[in-house]
Amino acid sequence: MSDHSKIEWTDATWNPVTGCTKVSAGCKNCYAERVSHRFGKDFLKIELRPERLDQPLRWKNPRRIFVNSMSDLFHESVSDDFIDRVFAVMLNTAGYHTFQVLTKRPERMLSYVHGINLSRILNLIWEMDTQEEVEKPEPEYFFYGIWPHPYIWLGVSVEDQKTADARIPLLMQTPAAVRFVSYEPALGQMNFTQYLACVYCRGNGLMKCDGSDSCSGVRLNQVIAGGESGPGARPAHPDWFRSVRDQCQAAGVPFFFKQWGEWRPVCALYGDPERDQKENGCGELFSVAPTGEIVEDRQPPIGSWLMERIGKKAAGRLLDGREWNEFPINVEAA
């Protein structure tokens, strides 16, 4: 648990579950696994932490809370009973806090949310409210017994087009007020276009929502993007992030650029000279192809970039000279 998270798109992390198992290439250099090993923990051991369930009830200032930064709430080893308890805490303070639930297991999330037992969850909330030792913050949005709830956001983590096309459609089928994607670590070029326009408008050839009464409103409400950090980090080509940003801008969808990661761009090689970012390199220099591969050729493929491995802090999070910190607001449930 961290009451003041260093993760750029959240304020705090809450880990009622710890431990996880790897499901795709994006898990290769898992940050949570590194942290677990640093403290001598077995990351592959899934542990439920009921003693942490009431933490958001005790936080007096409103926060965006990332749920399970050190695990996956919808891991197959986490029981529906325990997920109910996590949702009870979220619903009990949602409207005061905002919860960001991110998973690589959208099929489990879809199944759970479609069968969500609100009666049981309301009973759990009642039990919490009758405990005298817990003086919870009062949410502004008082109606607990609804789903979707506008202060509980559901998202999926993807790293390339394959994982995006497998996971995002399941997210789209999951009832949620806010649907978001974390494209991190970025391991390939992405086309999010079909997920950024709502179902009705997409079917009618419109990129932006036209406000029609028949519009379903089902689309992504935010895209977070970032490169990989830590030992063994793989570089992300700058044009991958530019493309996703431009797709979001065209669709009117909030875009958040989290970080370059270990690598930052220095200049384009045989690319567009107007976009060259010529700086004095301080790290080891590599040529990175549009595919993300490090190339040794003296004449790398067109579209390659010279990248330096300089570390997350030094690499920063400026994309084309500015920070991108966009969040969804006033999103209606669908």
Side-chain angles (χ1 to χ4, degrees):
M1 181 275 293
S2 175
D3 194 8
H4 301 285
S5 176
K6 293 182 180 179
I7 298 172
E8 290 78 359
W9 48 264
T10 197
D11 300 318
T13 56
W14 173 43
N15 286 286
V17 182
T18 56
C20 201
T21 51
K22 298 181 180 183
V23 294
S24 62
C27 302
K28 180 180 179 181
N29 299 313
C30 178
Y31 163 81
E33 182 178 29
R34 293 201 309 272
V35 173
S36 293
H37 289 169
R38 190 183 307 156
F39 289 96
K41 303 291 186 179
D42 180 3
F43 185 64
L44 299 180
K45 183 179 180 181
I46 314 301
E47 294 187 84
L48 309 184
R49 302 298 184 97
E51 73 279 5
R52 298 181 178 181
L53 281 171
D54 68 352
Q55 286 172 344
L57 280 71
R58 299 179 184 276
W59 291 341
K60 302 306 180 185
N61 295 321
R63 294 160 171 80
R64 288 193 194 98
I65 300 173
F66 176 18
V67 181
N68 276 342
S69 64
M70 297 294 292
S71 184
D72 190 325
L73 181 62
F74 294 101
H75 192 282
E76 52 272 20
S77 297
V78 181
S79 67
D80 282 356
D81 174 78
F82 196 78
I83 297 175
D84 284 347
R85 294 180 181 277
V86 173
F87 267 73
V89 174
M90 290 194 291
L91 282 166
N92 202 4
T93 54
Y96 188 78
H97 300 313
T98 298
F99 293 90
Q100 300 157 296
V101 182
L102 189 62
T103 185
K104 285 187 173 72
R105 295 166 172 83
E107 63 285 343
R108 174 86 190 279
M109 181 168 70
L110 172 64
S111 174
Y112 174 83
V113 171
H114 267 298
I116 192 167
N117 189 339
L118 286 176
S119 295
R120 169 172 162 71
I121 289 173
L122 287 171
N123 285 334
L124 291 170
I125 291 174
W126 181 84
E127 290 176 10
M128 279 184 271
D129 287 347
T130 57
Q131 296 176 10
E132 294 182 2
E133 68 273 17
V134 177
E135 185 179 347
K136 66 165 186 166
E138 288 297 338
E140 295 180 8
Y141 196 96
F142 286 102
F143 191 33
Y144 310 130
I146 66 165
W147 188 266
H149 196 292
Y151 288 87
I152 300 177
W153 303 358
L154 301 183
V156 294
S157 177
V158 306
E159 62 262 23
D160 54 23
Q161 196 70 51
K162 179 180 178 181
T163 52
D165 291 341
R167 295 171 186 166
I168 296 176
L170 294 173
L171 174 64
M172 297 296 210
Q173 297 171 47
T174 305
V178 174
R179 298 175 180 86
F180 71 105
V181 163
S182 174
Y183 167 45
E184 183 193 5
L187 299 182
Q189 188 170 359
M190 294 289 298
N191 185 350
F192 284 108
T193 303
Q194 64 176 314
Y195 308 119
L196 298 175
C198 64
V199 172
Y200 169 79
C201 296
R202 186 165 69 239
N204 285 272
L206 302 174
M207 189 57 195
K208 291 187 177 181
C209 179
D210 66 353
S212 168
D213 290 340
S214 58
C215 176
S216 69
V218 178
R219 67 168 182 170
L220 292 181
N221 304 111
Q222 184 191 34
V223 175
I224 299 166
E228 192 168 45
S229 59
R234 295 156 284 187
H237 194 280
D239 287 342
W240 297 350
F241 297 131
R242 289 193 175 101
S243 174
V244 171
R245 175 203 60 197
D246 293 347
Q247 293 169 44
C248 289
Q249 292 289 289
V253 172
F255 173 74
F256 192 104
F257 183 59
K258 179 176 179 285
Q259 63 182 35
W260 283 107
E262 289 292 305
W263 304 72
R264 74 171 178 181
V266 179
C267 64
L269 301 174
Y270 310 104
D272 183 350
E274 294 182 359
R275 294 191 313 188
D276 285 1
Q277 298 180 352
K278 296 183 178 179
E279 301 174 17
N280 294 322
C282 300
E284 193 174 2
L285 298 176
F286 298 87
S287 297
V288 177
T291 58
E293 294 177 334
I294 299 173
V295 293
E296 303 292 339
D297 299 345
R298 292 187 177 181
Q299 289 188 325
I302 292 175
S304 297
W305 271 73
L306 187 65
M307 307 279 287
E308 62 176 339
R309 183 161 190 168
I310 197 172
K312 174 185 172 180
K313 184 175 180 180
R317 51 187 301 263
L318 297 181
L319 178 60
D320 291 335
R322 60 160 284 191
E323 290 186 0
W324 296 83
N325 299 315
E326 298 174 349
F327 283 95
I329 55 174
N330 299 326
V331 178
E332 300 234 350

